[in-house]
């Protein structure tokens, strides 16, 4: 009877140990799965943070480029030139995801002499080219304002944020 009691106790103790070990193994497996998910989410968060920082830098660079463009227009505008408008082209397309934005604008105005628009676009282009801008030569068209000859002009400016070296 004593041997039977010892065998039953040993069996119960072994079963208890086995159940405890199985529960611990399940908890460890769950912890490992959760750790793997946490690492995956952490990597996704790191990538999102890197993408956000790159987008923020591109945005800042674009703003600096736009500020440089406005400054160049103000400083290089000769007398006899009237700037009427800065406008985005009608067919603006959004860049592909992960691609930097391209800033384009068209400058329109009037000038008293035809060569003033050409000089203006050359001076603005020389100032903005090191900052990643491309400035097209002015397109002019002779017109009459009353009986006075004037020239309307259009200058196309473009900055690709990926190649610009705009300085703060």
């Amino acid at each position: 009877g004593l041997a039977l009691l010892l065998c039953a106790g040993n069996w119960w103790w072994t079963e208890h140990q086995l159940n405890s070990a199985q529960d611990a193994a399940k908890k460890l497996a769950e912890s490992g799965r959760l750790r793997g998910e946490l690492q995956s989410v952490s990597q996704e968060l790191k990538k999102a943070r890197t993408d956000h920082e790159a987008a923020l830098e591109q945005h800042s660079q674009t703003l600096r480029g736009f500020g440089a463009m406005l400054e160049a227009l103000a400083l290089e505008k000769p007398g006899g030139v009237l700037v009427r408008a800065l406008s985005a082209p009608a067919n603006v397309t959004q860049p592909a995801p992960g691609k930097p934005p391209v800033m384009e604008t068209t400058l329109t105005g009037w000038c008293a002499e035809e060569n003033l628009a050409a000089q203006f676009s050359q001076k603005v282009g020389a100032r903005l080219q090191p900052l990643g801008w491309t400035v097209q030569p002015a397109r002019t068209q002779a017109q009459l304002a009353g009986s006075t000859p004037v020239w309307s002009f259009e200058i196309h400016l473009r900055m690709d944020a990926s190649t610009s070296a705009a300085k703060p």
Side-chain angles (χ1 to χ4, degrees):
L2 184 60
L4 186 57
L5 186 61
L6 281 175
C7 284
N10 187 32
W11 174 83
W12 177 84
W13 179 251
T14 304
E15 279 294 311
H16 177 70
Q17 290 282 341
L18 180 62
N19 288 338
S20 294
Q22 287 174 339
D23 289 343
K26 286 179 186 175
K27 287 179 183 176
L28 285 173
E30 180 65 14
S31 294
R33 185 186 65 78
L34 290 175
R35 182 174 183 221
E37 286 179 15
L38 181 62
Q39 286 175 334
S40 174
V41 169
S42 176
Q43 289 173 349
E44 289 174 15
L45 181 61
K46 185 177 180 180
K47 183 185 180 315
R49 183 175 288 132
T50 302
D51 291 348
H52 175 71
E53 288 171 358
L56 187 60
E57 176 56 31
Q58 287 175 352
H59 178 71
S60 296
Q61 192 173 23
T62 300
L63 289 178
R64 287 190 305 266
F66 189 71
M69 185 259 305
L70 291 176
E71 179 182 9
L73 293 177
L75 294 175
E76 299 299 338
K77 186 180 82 56
V81 170
L82 172 68
V83 174
R84 288 183 31 220
L86 280 171
S87 57
N91 57 353
V92 175
T93 58
Q94 292 295 326
K99 295 287 184 179
V102 173
M103 186 182 341
E104 294 184 75
T105 189
T106 301
L107 171 72
T108 57
W110 300 90
C111 57
E113 299 173 21
E114 183 178 16
N115 65 339
L116 289 177
Q119 291 173 6
F120 186 34
S121 67
Q122 288 172 352
K123 287 180 179 180
V124 168
R127 182 180 282 268
L128 293 178
Q129 189 270 333
L131 303 176
W133 284 89
T134 303
V135 179
Q136 299 294 319
R139 291 185 299 193
T140 58
Q141 182 176 5
Q143 297 182 340
L144 285 176
S147 61
T148 306
V150 295
W151 284 263
S152 65
F153 66 87
E154 185 175 284
I155 302 171
H156 184 75
L157 301 101
R158 176 185 170 103
M159 183 187 77
D160 185 350
S162 67
T163 60
S164 70
K167 298 170 187 164

